[in-house]
Amino acid sequence: MTQLTSSGAADTEIAHVNVQNGRAFSLNAFGMNYAFHVDANGELVHDHFGTPAEVQPTEVGPEHISGWATRLTDEKRELPDVGRGDFRLPAIHIRTGAGHTVTEFKYTGYEVVRGKPELEGLPATFGGERDVASVIITLEDEESGLVATLRYSVFPAHNAVTRSYTITNKGGQDVEIKRAASFTLNLDAGEWDMVYLTGDWAREANQVRRRVETGTQGFHSLCGYSSHFFNPFVALVSSDTTETSGPAYGLSFVYSGSFAVEVEKFVSDRVRANIGLHPLHLDWKLAPGESFTAPESVAVFSNHGLGGMSRSFHRLYRDHLSRSEWTYRPRPVLLNSWEGMYFDFDAEKLYTKAKDCADIGIKLYVMDDGWFGVKHPRTGDHAGLGDWVPNPDRFPNGLDDLVSRATSLSVHGSDQNLKFGIWVEPEMVNPQSELYEAHPDWVLHAGRHKRTEQRNQLVLDLSRRDVQDYLIDAIGSVLASANISFVKWDNNRAMHELPSPSTAHAYMLGLYRVVDSLTRRFPHILWDGCASGGGRFDPGLLHYWPQSWTSDNTDGLDRLHIQFGTSLVYPPSSMGAHVSAVPNHQVQRVTPLEFRAHVAMMGGSFGFELDLQALDDGERARVRDIIALSEKVSPYVLGGDLYRLAAPESNYPAALFMMPGGGRGVLLAFCMQARIHRYAPPLFFAGLDRMAAYEIDCKTYTGTDLMHSGLKLHWDARDYQSKVLFVKRLPYDN
Ligand code: DGJ
């Protein structure tokens, strides 16, 4: 519960929020503060974001003795709008009832709240009164009657500030919101780099680092979804910031649809970065009395480089974004049927495979694509999507019969029975389906333009209430029909033809309604996101689902890049990672079983994606050892702090997971390619107590040794080697 503690033009102080004269605000975390004030014209002006500092509001910019720039162009505006002499890219752009797009939002008041108000209908961070404090600022544009309510919250333990806002039309005429970026980061003049994640299907989360130059640079998704191409995240770092030191600002957008990131270094050298909804997928009409909410964005500051920034995101997202009961719970080691069988299965074949799983010690069997469709059976990717009824040829006795038999199998080496999981792709429909035959108007389409198919499928229009209700009902019925413990929710194409630009956002609101309803109805299910791999790995869906499939590329070597990249923002606990067969189905590479497994163990949801019957007896025994080791490593990955000690680009990547308190940890270290007659560089640890002694692989080291002299690992003259070493802090002598 949130609690209103103060309002008005007075000094107010609650834990972590300080207000002076009702006009200067500071949100205070343990390692940073975020400060802004109201200037003489009623504008909200940014003062500071960084290492805690008492900042005197400054209103005077460089003197403009001549030229076109104005004070407003230079000002560090919290909610920059259009017109009135600000020539940088704005956060908001609204066409008012008068027909123009000039607005002047002036401060009218504030409220201070312990805790954090909920964001209705949208995913957001959350927390109790001890975790988070908020200040709500109200601004008004007198001419149009538009009111902006800005919600700022600070999570002191995570050095994070969040912001979302609502625009309410209190005027008498319709307005159109054309642009509504959620967060505006203001940086002083300096040498800044931007870091972000880019990729494609099967090569997600490649890090790009580039200099912020004068002008505008950015990236976006116009796919309707967050996409493989770019992730809704950007870091702004000083040009000398490293993995372990220097200032790093991370902006992460809590949303799963189209988005835009714009970083503008103006001619004055000041930098403004906007992150939020994509303006080409907006144009939202607001009738008198209606409101529009810009989704939440999270801003994190660390003075300990990109590593510090990532750890803040990881802890914040585990503790205050993921609402699943599974966030910290050990995830059952699973086997997913996809790469082992693709579409070629029926109930008996599935049962045989489920028995194999139970015999070898796998705890969860996941049946992937291909189980549904009556008139149009899903025996390939050409038909069936939309018809969420088991295929009677494949399941003559129904789905429940198979699930009951599979979940009666006891798992080798444990006191549990096998669990059963299922794949769905609810947002999609094949034209060859009973659903499309009955409701051709339910798919996204624009007039008489061709409905472009991708993977033989079309996208359902989830902005429609009837479509949402159909999905809640259809998927809910499947989940209620059998003992299902796990759902993989896939989504395998982007949006093409939209009936209107704002349908994209209305779709997302509809999707969140569907997902919210199903996850509330089935809270014990382990929900797993997927979009052709990591095409929707974003904080929006991680609010509802604790994990997501990181990539369809299951090659150990490529996965090192993908998983290290993904960890820039997302907690390792949220990554699904599987051991697949060799030659690898995506890149044909052959790597050792243990190498593939050790890479996959760095994901919170560890499993296999291969045909167990293709393994020989020796390999089966090794799989048992791998399962046992993965269960030992899992708590560290789920709840530990990640230190990326060396990146994949070094050839010797290494990740250290240290449990809270620093007493125990696990190191996963890799040699990607053999380097004959050369030494590997020492592995410099981080996050240890200098004065403490640590035991690794039966040897004792001091924290100082490990952090400053480094661990010298021995690697043979072979490609694809890996080591898993547990780290234990020894008790002090006295
Ligand atoms: C794409 C997913 O990423 C795969 O893992 C698999 O589930 C296929 N879809 C099934 O069609």
Side-chain angles (χ1 to χ4, degrees):
M1 276 289 284
T2 56
Q3 181 192 334
L4 183 73
T5 54
S6 183
S7 122
D11 283 1
T12 309
E13 178 116 31
I14 61 165
H16 309 296
V17 174
N18 176 276
V19 184
Q20 283 173 28
N21 298 324
R23 294 185 80 83
F25 303 85
S26 181
L27 294 128
N28 307 320
F30 298 132
M32 69 84 184
N33 68 324
Y34 187 96
F36 54 88
H37 73 278
V38 181
D39 77 2
N41 301 315
E43 290 276 343
L44 220 52
V45 178
H46 182 78
D47 291 313
H48 178 73
F49 183 22
T51 304
E54 264 202 33
V55 189
Q56 296 304 318
T58 48
E59 288 179 18
V60 188
E63 202 150 320
H64 290 295
I65 45 172
S66 60
W68 290 10
T70 68
R71 182 188 52 80
L72 223 52
T73 301
D74 278 332
E75 226 167 36
K76 297 175 165 182
R77 305 177 68 203
E78 286 286 318
L79 189 70
D81 54 6
V82 176
R84 302 185 295 118
D86 181 345
F87 303 121
R88 293 195 273 167
L89 283 174
I92 53 170
H93 184 203
I94 303 174
R95 190 185 149 102
T96 69
H100 61 69
T101 55
V102 179
T103 48
E104 185 170 11
F105 282 97
K106 286 190 173 186
Y107 175 74
T108 57
Y110 78 98
E111 291 173 354
V112 173
V113 170
R114 295 188 210 276
K116 185 170 186 283
E118 266 184 37
L119 210 53
E120 211 192 311
L122 280 163
T125 54
F126 56 82
E129 292 183 8
R130 285 162 180 253
D131 309 312
V132 55
S134 308
V135 60
I136 299 168
I137 307 281
T138 315
L139 310 172
E140 192 169 345
D141 174 47
E142 243 179 50
E143 201 207 59
S144 63
L146 289 168
V147 172
T149 311
L150 276 56
R151 289 170 289 267
Y152 290 88
S153 298
V154 58
F155 287 89
H158 304 287
N159 297 325
V161 170
T162 66
R163 191 177 90 169
S164 65
Y165 57 87
T166 299
I167 307 276
T168 304
N169 185 357
K170 294 201 171 163
Q173 288 172 292
D174 287 1
V175 304
E176 278 160 28
I177 300 182
K178 301 187 154 300
R179 179 187 272 263
S182 291
F183 199 92
T184 298
L185 177 73
N186 285 284
L187 295 177
D188 284 317
E191 295 302 319
W192 297 102
D193 286 352
M194 57 193 279
V195 182
Y196 50 101
L197 297 173
T198 166
D200 202 334
W201 175 76
R203 59 174 197 92
E204 292 87 343
N206 299 277
Q207 271 190 52
V208 176
R209 180 169 180 159
R210 73 183 225 214
R211 186 60 62 95
V212 176
E213 304 282 4
T214 303
T216 306
Q217 43 257 279
F219 53 90
H220 64 253
S221 164
L222 264 174
C223 297
Y225 305 114
S226 45
S227 91
H228 300 89
F229 305 132
F230 295 97
N231 199 271
F233 153 80
V234 66
L236 273 297
V237 301
S238 176
S239 57
D240 51 10
T241 290
T242 65
E243 174 69 17
T244 51
S245 70
Y249 296 89
L251 301 183
S252 170
F253 188 36
V254 186
Y255 193 63
S256 312
S258 297
F259 69 90
V261 171
E262 293 155 343
V263 180
E264 182 173 13
K265 182 171 182 176
F266 200 62
V267 294
S268 62
D269 288 342
R270 279 195 167 167
V271 174
R272 173 188 286 172
N274 291 321
I275 186 167
L277 297 172
H278 199 298
L280 290 182
H281 278 176
L282 202 55
D283 216 10
W284 196 272
K285 286 212 173 29
L286 218 52
E290 287 182 351
S291 294
F292 172 85
T293 295
E296 178 166 286
S297 182
V298 176
V300 154
F301 170 75
S302 169
N303 229 341
H304 301 283
L306 287 162
M309 177 203 73
S310 297
R311 285 186 292 281
S312 284
F313 274 126
H314 296 172
R315 288 183 178 180
L316 180 77
Y317 282 180
R318 285 190 314 234
D319 291 349
H320 300 294
L321 176 72
S322 173
R323 68 178 205 192
S324 164
E325 61 183 52
W326 280 96
T327 309
Y328 282 100
R329 263 171 73 186
R331 319 279 163 84
V333 174
L334 65 82
L335 185 137
N336 178 292
S337 69
W338 184 240
E339 288 195 14
M341 292 195 285
Y342 293 106
F343 287 106
D344 179 19
F345 61 78
D346 59 19
E348 281 324 298
K349 210 164 162 185
L350 287 166
Y351 182 65
T352 310
K353 303 287 181 191
K355 270 207 308 211
D356 284 344
C357 286
D359 284 351
I360 213 161
I362 285 166
K363 312 245 164 11
L364 164 68
Y365 183 61
V366 181
M367 171 180 69
D368 210 281
D369 196 355
W371 57 269
F372 47 90
V374 180
K375 182 173 164 198
H376 302 286
R378 178 82 170 165
T379 50
D381 65 15
H382 61 289
L385 282 177
D387 299 344
W388 300 107
V389 176
N391 171 346
D393 295 332
R394 293 186 165 195
F395 299 90
N397 303 318
L399 180 62
D400 181 42
D401 175 72
L402 168 71
V403 179
S404 307
R405 286 194 294 147
T407 55
S408 305
L409 295 164
S410 62
V411 174
H412 172 89
S414 98
D415 53 3
Q416 297 171 24
N417 280 1
L418 188 68
K419 294 181 192 308
F420 196 89
I422 196 170
W423 176 98
V424 290
E425 192 179 355
E427 297 152 77
M428 299 290 157
V429 63
N430 286 120
Q432 271 194 58
S433 66
E434 292 184 62
L435 186 69
Y436 190 70
E437 285 165 2
H439 300 286
D441 54 322
W442 276 14
V443 299
L444 291 176
H445 64 284
R448 286 185 291 111
H449 280 287
K450 183 173 180 283
R451 300 168 181 206
T452 315
E453 289 178 32
Q454 219 180 336
R455 208 192 185 209
N456 308 308
Q457 63 198 55
L458 296 167
V459 184
L460 287 172
D461 183 354
L462 267 78
S463 71
R464 295 175 59 129
R465 192 90 180 178
D466 48 4
V467 173
Q468 297 164 23
D469 289 341
Y470 165 76
L471 292 181
I472 291 170
D473 185 51
I475 302 301
S477 304
V478 174
L479 301 185
S481 74
N483 181 12
I484 290 164
S485 311
F486 177 99
V487 173
K488 175 177 174 183
W489 185 300
D490 205 346
N491 200 58
N492 286 305
R493 62 161 290 180
M495 298 179 194
H496 290 195
E497 294 79 26
L498 288 167
S500 77
S502 49
T503 305
H505 180 57
Y507 176 114
M508 273 306 136
L509 297 179
L511 173 64
Y512 291 139
R513 177 174 170 253
V514 171
V515 170
D516 180 62
S517 156
L518 288 168
T519 49
R520 282 187 197 282
R521 181 166 167 206
F522 300 99
H524 306 315
I525 283 183
L526 174 53
W527 294 84
D528 180 49
C530 175
S532 313
R536 230 169 30 180
F537 210 124
D538 59 58
L541 285 167
L542 284 182
H543 176 63
Y544 307 96
W545 303 331
Q547 62 183 52
S548 185
W549 181 226
T550 318
S551 175
D552 272 356
N553 187 339
T554 49
D555 169 60
L557 193 95
D558 283 354
R559 270 296 187 121
L560 280 166
H561 292 276
I562 294 169
Q563 292 174 199
F564 270 68
T566 304
S567 78
L568 204 56
V569 203
Y570 304 105
S573 59
S574 64
M575 292 183 216
H578 300 169
V579 181
S580 61
V582 288
N584 174 269
H585 291 198
Q586 293 77 36
V587 299
Q588 306 303 313
R589 192 175 282 126
V590 176
T591 56
L593 182 60
E594 280 71 14
F595 180 83
R596 281 172 272 150
H598 295 161
V599 173
M601 278 175 204
M602 293 191 291
S605 180
F606 172 83
F608 295 84
E609 187 136 349
L610 41 72
D611 181 3
L612 290 174
Q613 278 167 346
L615 302 178
D616 61 32
D617 285 349
E619 286 171 325
R620 289 178 76 83
R622 283 157 65 201
V623 164
R624 284 210 170 127
D625 290 345
I626 284 169
I627 292 172
L629 181 62
S630 78
E631 288 176 340
K632 259 180 89 182
V633 169
S634 166
Y636 298 92
V637 174
L638 292 174
D641 275 335
L642 167 67
Y643 294 87
R644 292 178 294 252
L645 301 187
E649 289 69 22
S650 70
N651 192 51
Y652 301 100
L656 175 69
F657 295 86
M658 289 304 293
M659 290 306 266
R664 283 178 180 273
V666 64
L667 171 74
L668 293 106
F670 302 87
C671 167
M672 294 162 83
Q673 284 187 311
R675 295 210 168 139
I676 312 285
H677 293 166
R678 289 167 71 190
Y679 290 102
L683 194 54
F684 295 105
F685 277 53
L688 302 184
D689 173 353
R690 270 174 237 282
M691 306 306 290
Y694 293 86
E695 188 182 277
I696 303 176
D697 206 13
C698 304
K699 294 194 194 77
T700 303
Y701 306 84
T702 66
T704 304
D705 285 349
L706 290 168
M707 293 199 288
H708 301 307
S709 172
L711 185 68
K712 281 99 187 166
L713 291 175
H714 172 77
W715 299 106
D716 299 330
R718 271 189 298 119
D719 290 345
Y720 314 126
Q721 297 169 71
S722 52
K723 297 181 197 289
V724 179
L725 301 171
F726 289 90
V727 178
K728 190 168 109 190
R729 189 178 59 206
L730 299 174
Y732 291 101
D733 285 344
N734 48 20

Short mmCIF file of all heavy atoms in Angstrom, two decimals, residues 257-280:
data_model
loop_
_atom_site.label_atom_id
_atom_site.label_comp_id
_atom_site.label_asym_id
_atom_site.label_seq_id
_atom_site.Cartn_x
_atom_site.Cartn_y
_atom_site.Cartn_z
N GLY A 257 6.89 -3.64 -26.93
CA GLY A 257 6.53 -3.28 -28.30
C GLY A 257 7.55 -2.37 -28.95
O GLY A 257 8.69 -2.25 -28.50
N SER A 258 7.11 -1.73 -30.04
CA SER A 258 7.99 -0.80 -30.76
C SER A 258 8.48 0.28 -29.80
O SER A 258 7.74 0.73 -28.92
CB SER A 258 7.21 -0.14 -31.89
OG SER A 258 6.80 -1.10 -32.83
N PHE A 259 9.72 0.69 -29.99
CA PHE A 259 10.29 1.71 -29.10
C PHE A 259 11.33 2.52 -29.88
O PHE A 259 11.74 2.11 -30.99
CB PHE A 259 10.96 1.07 -27.88
CG PHE A 259 12.22 0.32 -28.24
CD1 PHE A 259 13.46 0.95 -28.24
CD2 PHE A 259 12.15 -1.01 -28.64
CE1 PHE A 259 14.61 0.28 -28.61
CE2 PHE A 259 13.30 -1.69 -29.02
CZ PHE A 259 14.53 -1.05 -29.00
N ALA A 260 11.74 3.63 -29.30
CA ALA A 260 12.81 4.42 -29.91
C ALA A 260 13.75 4.93 -28.84
O ALA A 260 13.32 5.28 -27.74
CB ALA A 260 12.21 5.60 -30.68
N VAL A 261 15.03 4.92 -29.17
CA VAL A 261 16.06 5.54 -28.32
C VAL A 261 16.75 6.59 -29.17
O VAL A 261 17.21 6.30 -30.28
CB VAL A 261 17.09 4.48 -27.85
CG1 VAL A 261 18.27 5.16 -27.16
CG2 VAL A 261 16.45 3.47 -26.92
N GLU A 262 16.77 7.81 -28.66
CA GLU A 262 17.43 8.90 -29.40
C GLU A 262 18.44 9.55 -28.46
O GLU A 262 18.07 9.96 -27.36
CB GLU A 262 16.42 9.98 -29.78
CG GLU A 262 15.39 9.55 -30.78
CD GLU A 262 14.11 10.39 -30.67
OE1 GLU A 262 13.91 11.06 -29.64
OE2 GLU A 262 13.34 10.35 -31.62
N VAL A 263 19.66 9.63 -28.90
CA VAL A 263 20.69 10.29 -28.10
C VAL A 263 21.16 11.49 -28.91
O VAL A 263 21.67 11.34 -30.01
CB VAL A 263 21.87 9.33 -27.81
CG1 VAL A 263 22.94 10.03 -26.98
CG2 VAL A 263 21.37 8.06 -27.11
N GLU A 264 20.94 12.64 -28.34
CA GLU A 264 21.27 13.86 -29.10
C GLU A 264 22.32 14.67 -28.36
O GLU A 264 22.10 15.14 -27.25
CB GLU A 264 20.01 14.71 -29.29
CG GLU A 264 20.29 15.95 -30.12
CD GLU A 264 19.04 16.76 -30.48
OE1 GLU A 264 17.98 16.50 -29.88
OE2 GLU A 264 19.15 17.64 -31.34
N LYS A 265 23.47 14.81 -29.02
CA LYS A 265 24.48 15.74 -28.50
C LYS A 265 24.29 17.02 -29.29
O LYS A 265 24.50 17.05 -30.51
CB LYS A 265 25.88 15.17 -28.69
CG LYS A 265 26.98 16.05 -28.14
CD LYS A 265 28.31 15.33 -28.18
CE LYS A 265 29.40 16.19 -27.59
NZ LYS A 265 30.67 15.48 -27.53
N PHE A 266 23.87 18.05 -28.58
CA PHE A 266 23.55 19.29 -29.29
C PHE A 266 24.85 20.07 -29.53
O PHE A 266 25.91 19.72 -29.02
CB PHE A 266 22.52 20.09 -28.47
CG PHE A 266 21.79 21.11 -29.29
CD1 PHE A 266 21.00 20.71 -30.37
CD2 PHE A 266 21.90 22.47 -29.02
CE1 PHE A 266 20.34 21.65 -31.15
CE2 PHE A 266 21.23 23.41 -29.80
CZ PHE A 266 20.45 23.00 -30.86
N VAL A 267 24.73 21.15 -30.30
CA VAL A 267 25.94 21.93 -30.61
C VAL A 267 26.55 22.55 -29.36
O VAL A 267 27.72 22.90 -29.34
CB VAL A 267 25.64 23.01 -31.66
CG1 VAL A 267 25.29 22.38 -32.99
CG2 VAL A 267 24.50 23.92 -31.20
N SER A 268 25.74 22.66 -28.29
CA SER A 268 26.26 23.19 -27.02
C SER A 268 27.04 22.12 -26.26
O SER A 268 27.57 22.40 -25.19
CB SER A 268 25.09 23.64 -26.15
OG SER A 268 24.27 22.50 -25.87
N ASP A 269 27.07 20.88 -26.79
CA ASP A 269 27.76 19.72 -26.19
C ASP A 269 26.97 19.03 -25.09
O ASP A 269 27.40 18.01 -24.56
CB ASP A 269 29.17 20.05 -25.67
CG ASP A 269 30.14 20.26 -26.82
OD1 ASP A 269 29.81 19.83 -27.94
OD2 ASP A 269 31.20 20.86 -26.61
N ARG A 270 25.82 19.60 -24.70
CA ARG A 270 24.99 18.87 -23.74
C ARG A 270 24.31 17.70 -24.44
O ARG A 270 24.01 17.77 -25.63
CB ARG A 270 23.94 19.79 -23.15
CG ARG A 270 24.53 20.63 -22.03
CD ARG A 270 23.45 21.25 -21.22
NE ARG A 270 24.03 21.78 -19.99
CZ ARG A 270 23.38 22.60 -19.18
NH1 ARG A 270 22.15 22.99 -19.47
NH2 ARG A 270 23.96 23.03 -18.08
N VAL A 271 24.08 16.64 -23.65
CA VAL A 271 23.49 15.43 -24.24
C VAL A 271 22.10 15.19 -23.64
O VAL A 271 21.92 15.28 -22.43
CB VAL A 271 24.40 14.21 -23.99
CG1 VAL A 271 23.73 12.92 -24.47
CG2 VAL A 271 25.75 14.40 -24.69
N ARG A 272 21.17 14.90 -24.51
CA ARG A 272 19.82 14.50 -24.07
C ARG A 272 19.53 13.14 -24.71
O ARG A 272 19.71 12.97 -25.91
CB ARG A 272 18.80 15.53 -24.56
CG ARG A 272 17.37 15.12 -24.28
CD ARG A 272 16.37 16.06 -24.93
NE ARG A 272 16.29 17.34 -24.25
CZ ARG A 272 15.59 18.39 -24.72
NH1 ARG A 272 14.97 18.30 -25.88
NH2 ARG A 272 15.56 19.52 -24.05
N ALA A 273 19.09 12.19 -23.87
CA ALA A 273 18.71 10.87 -24.41
C ALA A 273 17.26 10.61 -24.04
O ALA A 273 16.88 10.72 -22.87
CB ALA A 273 19.61 9.79 -23.83
N ASN A 274 16.45 10.30 -25.04
CA ASN A 274 15.05 9.94 -24.81
C ASN A 274 14.85 8.46 -25.07
O ASN A 274 15.35 7.94 -26.08
CB ASN A 274 14.13 10.69 -25.78
CG ASN A 274 14.07 12.18 -25.50
OD1 ASN A 274 14.04 12.60 -24.34
ND2 ASN A 274 14.05 12.99 -26.55
N ILE A 275 14.09 7.81 -24.20
CA ILE A 275 13.73 6.40 -24.44
C ILE A 275 12.23 6.26 -24.21
O ILE A 275 11.69 6.80 -23.24
CB ILE A 275 14.55 5.45 -23.53
CG1 ILE A 275 14.27 3.97 -23.89
CG2 ILE A 275 14.29 5.67 -22.05
CD1 ILE A 275 15.27 2.99 -23.28
N GLY A 276 11.57 5.57 -25.13
CA GLY A 276 10.13 5.39 -24.95
C GLY A 276 9.46 4.84 -26.19
O GLY A 276 10.11 4.24 -27.06
N LEU A 277 8.16 5.05 -26.26
CA LEU A 277 7.36 4.53 -27.37
C LEU A 277 7.87 5.11 -28.69
O LEU A 277 8.34 6.25 -28.75
CB LEU A 277 5.90 4.94 -27.19
CG LEU A 277 5.19 4.37 -25.96
CD1 LEU A 277 3.81 5.00 -25.80
CD2 LEU A 277 5.08 2.85 -26.06
N HIS A 278 7.73 4.32 -29.77
CA HIS A 278 8.16 4.82 -31.07
C HIS A 278 7.10 5.79 -31.62
O HIS A 278 5.93 5.43 -31.73
CB HIS A 278 8.34 3.66 -32.05
CG HIS A 278 9.18 4.05 -33.21
ND1 HIS A 278 8.81 5.05 -34.09
CD2 HIS A 278 10.39 3.61 -33.62
CE1 HIS A 278 9.76 5.20 -35.00
NE2 HIS A 278 10.73 4.34 -34.74
N PRO A 279 7.50 7.01 -31.97
CA PRO A 279 6.51 7.99 -32.42
C PRO A 279 5.73 7.53 -33.66
O PRO A 279 4.57 7.91 -33.82
CB PRO A 279 7.34 9.23 -32.77
CG PRO A 279 8.68 9.02 -32.19
CD PRO A 279 8.87 7.55 -31.91
N LEU A 280 6.33 6.69 -34.51
CA LEU A 280 5.59 6.24 -35.70
C LEU A 280 4.52 5.20 -35.34
O LEU A 280 3.67 4.90 -36.16
CB LEU A 280 6.54 5.65 -36.74
CG LEU A 280 7.46 6.64 -37.43
CD1 LEU A 280 8.32 5.93 -38.48
CD2 LEU A 280 6.67 7.76 -38.10
#
